[in-house]
Amino acid sequence: MRTSVGELNGPDWESLCQKVLRLMYVNDGYHEVPARYGGDLGIEGYTQTGIVFQCYCPEGNPTDKELYEHQRDKVTRDIAKLKKNRHKIYEMIGSSTIRQWHFLTPAYSSRHLLSHCATKALKIKNIGCHTIDSNFSICIKVEEDYTAQISEIVNHTGFSISASLDPVDATAIESWNDANSEHASTIRSKLEKAVPGHPRMELLVYNNISQYLTGQRELERIRSQFPDHYESIVRLKRQQDVLLEMNSVTTSLPPGDLLKETLDDYKNDLNRLLAGSADIPTVGLLANEAIADWLIRCPLDF
């Protein structure tokens, strides 16, 4: 399933979750529960404050209906294990009752999952057992609940920012074109100088607008989920603005060569800046967005 750090399978998601939980609950005595030790108790970690955790990431890219069904069935199976193993889990936790069960999954798309979890939580509470807190609840936790922790992990581990490479749809591009006809004309006039006589000029213009909008969407996601990275990218881009305005006036390179050199140099700068914390397609997407933006705003001029 796609996440902010790329396409993850179940083990990858669990590995990320374990890192997140260690950061999130560093002061609450978080412990991982390896399935290979003592069997599968239906949880993958716990705190000494009575919170237990289960991670789940479905394979592939399921539809909304399939995602709900997979998540519903996973909750059903593992809550049954929690009920069965509540005394063993209570012994592990120590002095605290089991008060919350957190279901960690990249995202969910159905309110029915909330209802299902509420129904299961009520059944657990109705057991009337000293190991279960009277206010026991099931909480669905998604990737966005751990933005700060994932950002820190990206900074210090092998995980990397991975963009969704799905382009914006044609309707969005047409709407932008209609609302920004002067910008589209600016892109066209500069590309005509960079690649004069190109037989598919309209497609080049269209692709540049698409890359700009797709890159803007990715920058907004990075701003929300990886604010430190976003600030670094923005600072680098502002520095390049000044340099490009000077180079555009003083360079002896033909426009096409200047365009290619600018793209290559900015990719290299981004790679050095991000130091492996963004994958190659994401760096390429951000570089293409910058080129289109510079064509629109004129730091890159011919």
Side-chain angles (χ1 to χ4, degrees), residues 156-172:
H156 297 99
T157 72
F159 283 103
S160 63
I161 301 170
S162 179
S164 168
L165 300 180
D166 296 333
V168 295
D169 60 43
T171 302

Side-chain angles (χ1 to χ4, degrees), residues 241-275:
D241 281 0
V242 177
L243 293 175
L244 279 175
E245 288 175 351
M246 295 175 60
N247 289 343
S248 294
V249 174
T250 60
T251 186
S252 59
L253 288 173
D257 291 344
L258 177 59
L259 186 65
K260 183 179 184 304
E261 182 181 88
T262 301
L263 178 61
D264 290 342
D265 287 348
Y266 191 63
K267 281 183 181 178
N268 290 333
D269 288 342
L270 279 172
N271 273 318
R272 284 192 292 270
L273 172 72
L274 298 173

Side-chain angles (χ1 to χ4, degrees), residues 34-302:
R36 64 183 180 275
Y37 178 74
D40 184 3
L41 298 177
I43 63 170
E44 287 162 342
Y46 67 91
T47 70
Q48 291 180 330
T49 58
I51 305 174
V52 297
F53 303 89
Q54 180 58 275
C55 312
Y56 177 64
C57 180
E59 300 291 333
N61 292 289
T63 64
D64 288 346
K65 181 175 182 292
E66 290 169 339
L67 179 61
Y68 163 66
E69 290 172 348
H70 293 331
Q71 291 170 329
R72 177 200 63 197
D73 293 347
K74 177 65 173 175
V75 168
T76 299
R77 289 193 301 271
D78 286 341
I79 280 295
K81 293 177 185 177
L82 175 68
K83 179 181 178 181
K84 176 182 177 182
N85 298 306
R86 61 190 183 277
H87 296 294
K88 292 179 181 179
I89 296 170
Y90 177 76
E91 289 172 1
M92 276 196 312
I93 292 176
S95 60
S96 179
T97 56
I98 304 168
R99 60 187 185 86
Q100 289 184 348
W101 188 81
H102 288 195
F103 182 63
L104 280 61
T105 191
Y108 68 97
S109 55
S110 173
R111 63 179 175 81
H112 297 299
L113 185 62
L114 294 168
S115 301
H116 183 68
C117 288
T119 299
K120 291 297 180 182
L122 184 60
K123 289 183 178 180
I124 292 293
K125 283 197 293 187
N126 287 341
I127 293 173
C129 176
H130 72 281
T131 62
I132 303 295
D133 191 90
S134 59
N135 293 315
F136 175 83
S137 62
I138 296 175
C139 302
I140 304 171
K141 296 291 186 178
V142 297
E143 183 182 4
E144 290 182 359
D145 290 315
Y146 304 109
T147 295
Q149 289 75 29
I150 292 175
S151 180
E152 185 173 345
I153 289 164
V154 166
N155 281 333
H156 297 99
T157 72
F159 283 103
S160 63
I161 301 170
S162 179
S164 168
L165 300 180
D166 296 333
V168 295
D169 60 43
T171 302
I173 295 174
E174 291 171 6
S175 297
W176 185 91
N177 210 348
D178 291 341
N180 300 274
S181 57
E182 291 184 8
H183 292 332
S185 295
T186 299
I187 292 175
R188 181 179 292 101
S189 66
K190 291 181 181 179
L191 289 177
E192 286 172 348
K193 294 176 184 177
V195 283
H198 194 285
R200 306 186 73 183
M201 182 56 64
E202 291 305 312
L203 179 61
L204 285 180
V205 174
Y206 181 92
N207 286 341
N208 265 263
I209 295 171
S210 175
Q211 289 164 353
Y212 172 72
L213 294 178
T214 305
Q216 286 280 303
R217 179 187 65 192
E218 179 59 18
L219 279 171
E220 177 57 27
R221 187 183 71 88
I222 293 173
R223 185 196 65 76
S224 172
Q225 298 184 354
F226 308 102
D228 291 342
H229 287 79
Y230 175 79
E231 291 300 327
S232 297
I233 293 167
V234 168
R235 283 197 299 270
L236 175 64
K237 197 173 172 186
R238 286 172 181 162
Q239 288 177 331
Q240 290 297 106
D241 281 0
V242 177
L243 293 175
L244 279 175
E245 288 175 351
M246 295 175 60
N247 289 343
S248 294
V249 174
T250 60
T251 186
S252 59
L253 288 173
D257 291 344
L258 177 59
L259 186 65
K260 183 179 184 304
E261 182 181 88
T262 301
L263 178 61
D264 290 342
D265 287 348
Y266 191 63
K267 281 183 181 178
N268 290 333
D269 288 342
L270 279 172
N271 273 318
R272 284 192 292 270
L273 172 72
L274 298 173
S277 61
D279 61 19
I280 292 173
T282 301
V283 169
L285 179 63
L286 295 175
N288 287 331
E289 182 279 333
I291 291 293
D293 186 31
W294 289 327
L295 289 174
I296 291 170
R297 295 189 294 107
C298 291
L300 184 57
D301 205 354
F302 310 126

